[in-house]
Structure formats: structure tokens, C-alpha cells
Amino acid sequence: YNAHIGERRYEGATYHYTLTLLSGAVLHCRLPHEQGYAVGSAVRVFFTTTHALVYFCDDMAVGQAMPVVAVAH
């Protein structure tokens, strides 16, 4: 595990989570309501997607990445 659930807010179709990584950094993510994790749960955070996303620097496209957050027990 590399994070803990700090806060969870139900938003209808999704939950908004505040995660604290082991480094102390805070990460916000939104997951489908079917993926309900309890506050205080230890979770593994990783990045995944089904397609490449363009990223920008100084308003110019500079490459592609796959920066979508996923959470698992």
C-alpha cells in the first residue's frame, strides 16, 4: 500500500477521495460509486488509462502520457 484514504465525499455517481501518499503528498481522485473505500483504509494508488493523453508545457503540446489515477485495496 502506498496511500491512505483521508476523506471521502459521496457525489451521486462518484465518490471524491482525498488520499495521502506515504511521501505526505495529497492526491484528490474521483471514482465510480461502486468503488467505496472507508476513510482510513490503506490503498494502492497507480496510474492507468485506456488511451494516451496529450500534455502541455507553456501552452504547447509536448507529448503524450497516461496519467489516470486508479485505487485498489
Side-chain angles (χ1 to χ4, degrees):
Y1 303 107
N2 59 4
H4 285 86
I5 305 290
E7 296 178 15
R8 177 178 82 166
R9 184 175 64 239
Y10 180 68
E11 298 180 336
T14 62
Y15 278 109
H16 176 266
Y17 291 98
T18 301
L19 309 173
T20 302
L21 303 177
L22 293 179
S23 67
V26 174
L27 179 67
H28 297 274
C29 71
R30 185 170 283 118
L31 296 171
H33 72 275
E34 295 92 350
Q35 292 181 267
Y37 300 101
V39 171
S41 295
V43 294
R44 183 171 62 98
V45 176
F46 56 95
F47 296 95
T48 186
T49 188
T50 58
H51 62 281
L53 304 173
V54 176
Y55 59 95
F56 294 81
C57 182
D58 295 325
D59 295 325
M60 294 183 63
V62 293
Q64 293 186 340
M66 299 185 178
V68 176
V69 176
V71 178
H73 276 287

